[in-house]
């Protein structure tokens, strides 16, 4: 019963993750084609990575709903490797987005010269290669695998604690420290801009609007701050509980980590598209235009259905389409 409930929760969460990220990816793709912004490719890659997280979690949900299910050891290792690699790609994409915003604030006049299509492509290819290596490290190094008699595919059943410790020390903590450094540096730059604005106001130019660059910096800082906060709140409990469970297996049952804290970490892949659709006006504008286009097509289809009846329906030639719509 508990396995069925967990499978249903995973299936619902995976469906929301896939739907939200695919929608944001479509909107970003349309915006990139119109604006030609290379930096948005990092955000698009984040949406694709989070959608991939949803697809891989859907496979785990199907396993839970199919209990009793007796997969082989190799099947479980590959299944969890795909889940780990997609989660790693999502975290690395967050880092690239933060680095892109930091570069836009640090070097605004050279940003478009530095962020070229070739460099963006190289960064994205390197990102997916690193994510694949991290996720499939237990496949490449068999001593990270755990031989278990359990019939359930999960981290603690197929991976050694040393692998989780390696991910924690070489993946999560460096990413968190890099996030904090980038945000603190952007905060320092923004404080300099605020001081410059105050000096201009004191010089007699009071009442003017803040410079567009200062507004852009504040928006970028707000976005990065929300990304850092959601990333920390989502994944930090899982990694801390995993470390505690490795040091003291009786202190923290792994079922709590897998059933609750892992779901909290996966929820980060759902929060990312919601954050961008809420905070970024460009995404909101594209979303409203997409919704308006869909609504227009639906109304047009319904209007055509009213104005042009089928063969078995008797038409009324004295009434026009405009009169029917009125």
């Amino acid at each position: 019963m508990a396995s069925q409930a967990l499978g249903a929760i995973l299936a619902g969460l995976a469906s929301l993750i896939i739907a939200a990220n695919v929608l944001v990816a479509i909107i970003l793709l349309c915006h990139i084609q119109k604006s030609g912004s290379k930096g948005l490719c990092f955000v698009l890659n984040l949406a694709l990575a989070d959608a991939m997280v949803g697809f891989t979690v859907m496979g785990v949900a199907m396993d839970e709903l199919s209990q009793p299910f007796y997969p082989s050891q190799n099947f479980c290792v590959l299944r969890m490797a795909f889940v780990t690699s997609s989660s790693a790609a999502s975290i690395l994409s967050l880092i690239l987005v933060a680095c892109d915003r930091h570069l836009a604030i640090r070097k605004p006049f050279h940003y478009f010269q530095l962020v070229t299509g070739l460099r963006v492509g190289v960064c994205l290819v390197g990102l997916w290669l690193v994510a694949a290596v991290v996720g499939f490290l237990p496949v490449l190094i068999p001593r990270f695998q755990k031989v278990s008699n359990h019939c359930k595919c999960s981290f603690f059943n197929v991976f050694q604690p040393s692998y989780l410790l390696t991910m924690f020390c070489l993946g999560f903590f460096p990413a968190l420290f890099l996030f904090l450094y980038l945000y603190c540096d952007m905060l320092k730059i923004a404080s300099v801009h605020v001081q410059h604005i105050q000096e201009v106001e004191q010089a007699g130019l009071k009442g003017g609007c803040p410079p567009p660059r200062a507004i852009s910096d504040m928006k970028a800082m707000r976005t990065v701050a929300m990304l850092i906060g959601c990333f920390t709140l989502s994944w930090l409990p899982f990694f801390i509980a995993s470390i505690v469970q490795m040091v003291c297996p009786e202190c923290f049952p792994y079922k709590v980590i897998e059933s609750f804290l892992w779901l909290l970490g996966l929820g980060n892949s759902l929060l990312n598209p919601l954050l961008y659709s809420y905070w970024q006006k460009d995404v909101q504008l594209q979303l409203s235009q997409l919704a308006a286009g869909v609504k227009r097509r639906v109304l047009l289809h319904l209007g055509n259905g009213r104005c042009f009846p089928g063969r078995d329906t008797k038409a009324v030639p004295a009434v026009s389409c405009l009169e029917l719509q009125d």
Side-chain angles (χ1 to χ4, degrees):
M1 189 65 182
S3 179
Q4 297 288 331
L6 180 59
I9 295 175
L10 283 174
L13 180 61
S15 301
L16 292 176
I17 291 174
I18 294 171
N21 284 283
V22 168
L23 180 61
V24 171
I26 294 174
I27 294 172
L28 287 172
L29 187 60
C30 295
H31 187 59
I32 290 173
Q33 290 178 347
K34 291 181 180 179
S35 64
S37 175
K38 303 296 189 299
L40 286 178
C41 293
F42 298 127
V43 186
L44 175 62
N45 188 77
L46 174 62
L48 295 177
D50 286 331
M52 186 176 175
V53 171
F55 282 112
T56 55
V57 172
M58 185 65 74
V60 178
M62 293 299 103
D63 292 346
E64 294 287 344
L65 294 174
S66 302
Q67 295 292 335
F69 180 59
Y70 303 99
S72 63
Q73 175 74 14
N74 293 332
F75 177 85
C76 284
V77 170
L78 290 176
R79 169 63 59 82
M80 301 314 297
F82 275 109
V83 174
T84 307
S85 60
S86 57
S87 299
S90 175
I91 295 174
L92 291 174
S93 298
L94 284 173
I95 295 176
L96 281 185
V97 171
C99 291
D100 176 72
R101 293 299 85 204
H102 176 264
L103 184 63
I105 293 177
R106 170 63 70 177
K107 297 183 179 296
F109 300 108
H110 303 284
Y111 173 78
F112 293 102
Q113 298 176 356
L114 296 174
V115 183
T116 61
L118 178 61
R119 291 175 179 174
V120 170
V122 170
C123 290
L124 294 181
V125 171
L127 180 148
W128 284 101
L129 288 177
V130 172
V133 170
V134 171
F136 288 87
L137 194 61
V139 180
L140 302 175
I141 305 177
R143 68 183 184 88
F144 281 149
Q145 300 179 21
K146 179 191 293 185
V147 179
S148 175
N149 295 325
H150 295 280
C151 60
K152 182 179 178 181
C153 293
S154 64
F155 286 101
F156 295 96
N157 287 337
V158 299
F159 294 151
Q160 292 285 354
S162 58
Y163 173 63
L164 295 175
L165 185 62
T166 302
M167 289 179 55
F168 184 72
C169 296
L170 300 181
F172 177 79
F173 260 135
L176 182 59
F177 287 142
L178 181 58
F179 271 137
L180 294 177
Y181 165 75
L182 293 175
Y183 182 72
C184 291
D185 194 51
M186 286 190 291
L187 186 63
K188 179 181 177 181
I189 298 173
S191 63
V192 173
H193 292 171
V194 171
Q195 184 179 0
H196 178 69
I197 293 173
Q198 293 176 349
E199 292 176 355
V200 171
E201 290 179 348
Q202 292 176 359
L205 299 178
K206 216 170 195 178
C209 297
R213 180 181 170 186
I215 298 176
S216 177
D217 291 351
M218 295 304 297
K219 289 181 179 179
M221 285 183 55
R222 182 180 59 186
T223 303
V224 174
M226 293 298 296
L227 290 175
I228 294 173
C230 292
F231 169 75
T232 305
L233 294 177
S234 298
W235 283 111
L236 186 61
F238 171 78
F239 280 105
I240 290 180
S242 300
I243 296 298
V244 173
Q245 203 274 338
M246 283 183 272
V247 176
C248 179
E250 293 81 12
C251 299
F252 213 106
Y254 74 91
K255 291 184 178 180
V256 176
I257 302 176
E258 292 180 345
S259 301
F260 299 102
L261 299 183
W262 185 51
L263 293 177
L264 184 63
L266 294 177
N268 186 56
S269 296
L270 178 61
L271 290 175
N272 289 333
L274 297 180
L275 286 175
Y276 272 97
S277 60
Y278 180 78
W279 290 106
Q280 297 296 323
K281 290 186 177 180
D282 294 336
V283 177
Q284 292 180 5
L285 180 61
Q286 291 292 329
L287 183 60
S288 62
Q289 291 178 354
L290 181 63
V294 172
K295 181 180 179 181
R296 192 182 306 113
R297 291 187 179 183
V298 171
L299 293 177
L300 182 61
H301 178 72
L302 294 177
N304 289 337
R306 294 174 184 173
C307 299
F308 302 101
R311 295 180 179 178
D312 297 332
T313 306
K314 185 176 180 181
V316 184
V319 182
S320 65
C321 295
L322 294 175
E323 292 172 342
L324 282 176
Q325 292 176 356
D326 294 334

